[in-house]
Amino acid sequence: MPPDNNTPAATDAPLLPIHRQPGFLSFLLSRLAAVFAMQIQAIVVAWQVYDITRDAMSLAYVGLAQFLPMVILLLPAGDVVDRFPRKRILQLSWAVQGICSALLLLLAQANHGSVIEFYVVLALFGCARAFTGPTLQSMLPNIVPRAQLAQAIALNSSIMKVAVISGPLLGGVLYSVGGGSLAYAVCLGCFIVALALLMLVPVRYVEKAKVLESTAWKRFSAGIRYIRYQPIILGAISLDLFAVLLGGVVALLPIYAQEVLHVGPEGLGALRSAIAVGALLMGLYLGVRGIKRRAGHVMFAAVAVFGLANLVFAFSTLFWVSMIAMLVAGAADMISVYVRTTVIQLATPDEMRGRVNAVNMLFIGSSNELGEFRAGSMAAGFGVVPAAVIGGVGTLAVVGLWMRLFPTLRQVDRFDDAR
């Protein structure tokens, strides 16, 4: 991959504290602004579309319009990320998403009764997001030294939780004050801020470009082969896929809030926030202390704790117990994300990161979507409590099986061993 033209590649810069590494704070703040825009827009566009149609299926189409283009384009996007300057790709992706916010602003001001135009804009938004995910994942190792990558990943993940927690709340407030026009204007402003801050980020740690395969298919298949024959990467990616696919209970929270815990919409919001708060607190801790040894064992233990916390939630009829379970599940998931992401980044050569991260993003998106379908369909067939119990037990079974199937991943001690 060719280096960014603005700055030369660097490999031996002095090891400064992470917050003083050139460009890291700008990168963090630019991503925070973009995530705020996405979170605000997600809640506002869903509310506005439902307000127009009063049809629950319209909300399904809102998600589908964004999800399908993103899934279709993720793997080609990974190839693009490995061939062209990543900073430029991210700038173009955020610029297109900002244009989508501007188009939604125009649609909100037009105030007509059709939602087809909203779906078209959201499909374009999904296309742009397909390039955002692999680029962000691949770009961070180009900004900070290898020795500080784990710390940077932890801080990056935890700070993003701030937007995930507060973005929807801010979106609701903006919509209630000024309608969709004000909310989309703020989203557009956030993307402009993100682009401005990204200009300040130097790309300093880029490995020497290598000659890539001649055709797109050969490049794509090379990425798949690399993952297949690297047990550390294959094990880390597939562990997340099956653990979330089986163990996630987020889709069941509305049913638990109404029928098991009897807490209403406020309690539902608290349960959703508890997951994010647990992840935020653990991410901040990992950003300061980190994991120095036995990283593989820690990751498997964290996924097991995630499954156990979901089991406690499944059987709980007390709101405070359920809150603690969700808090612990969020914290355990953050540990797993921290170790897994760091291992994948360190085990992947720079010229392959775009394709590997695209596959990883595809697995994450699929596990979330299919996990919600699994939980909902099991709840419909067996009841909500059995569905949650089956998921928790399934997660523990996956941990035991993956520890046997991927001993190399289990035996990772220090992060640098991932190479």
Side-chain angles (χ1 to χ4, degrees):
M1 186 197 75
D4 190 293
N5 292 329
N6 290 336
T7 51
T11 57
D12 54 358
L15 196 61
L16 301 171
I18 187 65
H19 65 278
R20 293 180 58 194
Q21 284 294 335
F24 177 68
L25 284 181
S26 295
F27 177 76
L28 206 62
L29 292 174
S30 67
R31 189 176 181 187
L32 184 63
V35 174
F36 258 114
M38 295 177 196
Q39 292 294 323
I40 293 170
Q41 185 169 291
I43 194 73
V44 171
V45 74
W47 187 286
Q48 189 171 21
V49 167
Y50 184 73
D51 201 31
I52 294 171
T53 64
R54 295 295 173 180
D55 180 6
M57 279 303 298
S58 65
L59 297 179
Y61 296 140
V62 165
L64 197 64
Q66 299 174 80
F67 180 70
L68 285 180
M70 187 169 65
V71 169
I72 293 170
L73 290 175
L74 260 175
L75 295 180
D79 179 41
V80 171
V81 170
D82 283 336
R83 296 174 61 204
F84 300 100
R86 291 162 184 167
K87 183 175 174 179
R88 299 287 181 264
I89 297 171
L90 187 57
Q91 287 172 326
L92 289 172
S93 176
W94 280 348
V96 172
Q97 292 176 62
I99 291 171
C100 290
S101 295
L103 293 173
L104 289 172
L105 171 59
L106 294 176
L107 290 175
Q109 291 176 338
N111 196 26
H112 52 75
S114 173
V115 293
I116 300 299
E117 294 87 346
F118 284 89
Y119 296 145
V120 172
V121 175
L122 291 175
L124 178 61
F125 189 79
C127 291
R129 283 189 63 189
F131 292 85
T132 301
T135 308
L136 284 170
Q137 294 290 331
S138 304
M139 192 173 167
L140 189 57
N142 300 151
I143 297 173
V144 299
R146 187 182 189 91
Q148 293 180 318
L149 181 59
Q151 186 182 13
I153 288 172
L155 290 173
N156 181 72
S157 299
S158 59
I159 293 301
M160 292 311 109
K161 290 296 180 182
V162 174
V164 172
I165 295 170
S166 56
L169 177 62
L170 179 57
V173 171
L174 291 171
Y175 191 86
S176 64
V177 172
S181 298
L182 175 61
Y184 297 135
V186 170
C187 293
L188 176 58
C190 286
F191 279 121
I192 292 173
V193 170
L195 287 168
L197 288 170
L198 188 60
M199 293 178 63
L200 305 177
V201 178
V203 179
R204 306 169 61 235
Y205 299 90
V206 181
E207 296 176 9
K208 185 179 179 180
K210 296 182 179 180
V211 177
L212 298 178
E213 292 78 5
S214 57
T215 67
W217 172 251
K218 288 183 178 180
R219 292 191 297 269
F220 165 72
S221 58
I224 298 297
R225 285 197 305 272
Y226 185 81
I227 294 173
R228 179 183 176 186
Y229 293 110
Q230 293 293 327
I232 287 180
I233 299 176
L234 179 61
I237 291 177
S238 57
L239 176 64
D240 174 72
L241 170 65
F242 287 101
V244 175
L245 176 64
L246 293 174
V249 297
V250 172
L252 302 177
L253 292 184
I255 305 175
Y256 264 90
Q258 292 185 39
E259 300 181 7
V260 178
L261 302 174
H262 307 290
V263 292
E266 297 84 0
L268 172 60
L271 289 170
R272 290 292 298 264
S273 296
I275 301 173
V277 169
L280 171 63
L281 295 176
M282 181 55 68
L284 292 174
Y285 172 80
L286 292 172
V288 175
R289 298 296 299 270
I291 294 174
K292 306 300 183 184
R293 303 294 301 271
R294 299 174 64 83
H297 283 90
V298 169
M299 182 184 66
F300 280 110
V303 178
V305 170
F306 175 77
L308 288 171
N310 286 331
L311 273 178
V312 171
F313 176 83
F315 288 112
S316 172
T317 57
L318 299 174
F319 179 65
W320 66 270
V321 173
S322 300
M323 282 286 291
I324 293 174
M326 290 294 92
L327 194 76
V328 172
D333 186 55
M334 174 56 75
I335 297 174
S336 172
V337 169
Y338 163 79
V339 177
R340 187 178 66 252
T341 304
T342 305
V343 165
I344 291 173
Q345 297 286 31
L346 293 178
T348 305
D350 192 59
E351 74 275 3
M352 197 74 72
R353 279 200 179 105
R355 284 164 285 178
V356 170
N357 283 314
V359 174
N360 188 31
M361 297 296 295
L362 181 61
F363 275 39
I364 291 173
S366 300
S367 64
N368 289 330
E369 296 292 331
L370 294 177
E372 291 187 4
F373 177 78
R374 190 279 312 169
S377 58
M378 279 191 171
F382 306 109
V384 64
V385 174
V389 171
I390 291 171
V393 173
T395 298
L396 295 176
V398 166
V399 171
L401 180 60
W402 256 241
M403 290 182 72
R404 292 180 61 86
L405 291 176
F406 299 97
T408 309
L409 178 61
R410 184 185 72 241
Q411 294 163 5
V412 171
D413 186 21
R414 293 183 173 90
F415 281 124
D416 215 39
D417 295 343
R419 287 184 294 179

